[in-house]
Every structure is written in structure tokens, then in C-alpha cells.
Amino acid sequence: MSPLVQRSRVGTTRRPDPTDQHWSMLVFESLSAGVLAVAVGLGAVLAVVGVYVIFVWPLTFWDLANLGLEQYASWTDTVLWSVFAGGSLAGYWCFSGAAFKVKPKARVPVRPGRPRQ
């Protein structure tokens, strides 16, 4: 055939989605969000301890010895890993784009009613 004759294409190549990212980058971002959640939690605990050390301890000399906080020591690993897992899931939800996808509104069929008079 001559080069002037148009030929139909055998297969059209699809362009890659520029917003699509590799799964390893998505896992890295999600785990980073989990670490950030633990860091924010640690910052909150340090803020509470700081307020206690600056205001409560100098005024009352209350050392928290009679509260029995030792009984909750076994929960620290569970709470820490739960915060990490929750932060990682929230990071995955945001970084995968699921948080920003618009869901189509459900169509409600219109029932014919009485004609208006």
C-alpha cells in the first residue's frame, strides 16, 4: 500500500494516568502518616506533662503516686499500635484519593402524583 492510504490502527495505546502512583509509594506515604499520628500523640502527651510540671507540681507537690497508673501499663503497646494503624489507614484513605472522589448522587424515581390545579 502506498503511504498515502490511511490504515486503521491495530490497537490504541492508552496513556498512563498521571495521578496514578506506584503501590510502594502509597505504602510509604501511609506508613509515614501512621508515624506522624504517633508523633502527634507523643506531642499531646508531652504538652499535658508540661502543663502538669509547670503548674500543678509547683503549687501542690502532688506526685500522682496514689492514682495507681501502673495497672494501665499493659495497655501502652496496644494504644501505641492502634494509633499507628489508625494513622496509617487514614493516610491510605487520603493518599489513595478515596477521600476526594465524588460519589454520584442516587437517583430517586419521580412518581407521578396528582396534577396541580
Side-chain angles (χ1 to χ4, degrees):
M1 297 183 96
S2 81
L4 298 175
V5 177
Q6 291 190 3
R7 300 178 193 163
S8 62
R9 293 187 180 205
V10 176
T12 59
T13 58
R14 295 178 56 205
R15 292 184 186 174
D17 186 12
T19 61
D20 193 26
Q21 58 183 334
H22 196 262
W23 65 268
S24 62
M25 190 63 190
L26 185 60
V27 168
F28 175 74
E29 290 169 343
S30 301
L31 295 179
S32 297
V35 171
L36 184 64
V38 170
V40 168
L42 179 64
V45 168
L46 287 176
V48 169
V49 169
V51 168
Y52 170 78
V53 167
I54 291 172
F55 296 112
V56 176
W57 174 253
L59 297 175
T60 64
F61 295 108
W62 182 41
D63 61 357
L64 304 174
N66 57 355
L67 287 181
L69 297 177
E70 294 85 15
Q71 63 185 347
Y72 301 112
S74 63
W75 284 86
T76 54
D77 282 343
T78 305
V79 169
L80 187 66
W81 283 107
S82 297
V83 168
F84 176 75
S88 296
L89 288 175
Y92 179 79
W93 182 60
C94 288
F95 293 127
S96 68
F100 309 108
K101 291 184 179 176
V102 179
K103 295 181 181 178
K105 294 182 180 180
R107 294 187 177 208
V108 179
V110 178
R111 293 186 296 166
R114 287 187 278 149
R116 294 185 181 182
Q117 294 180 9

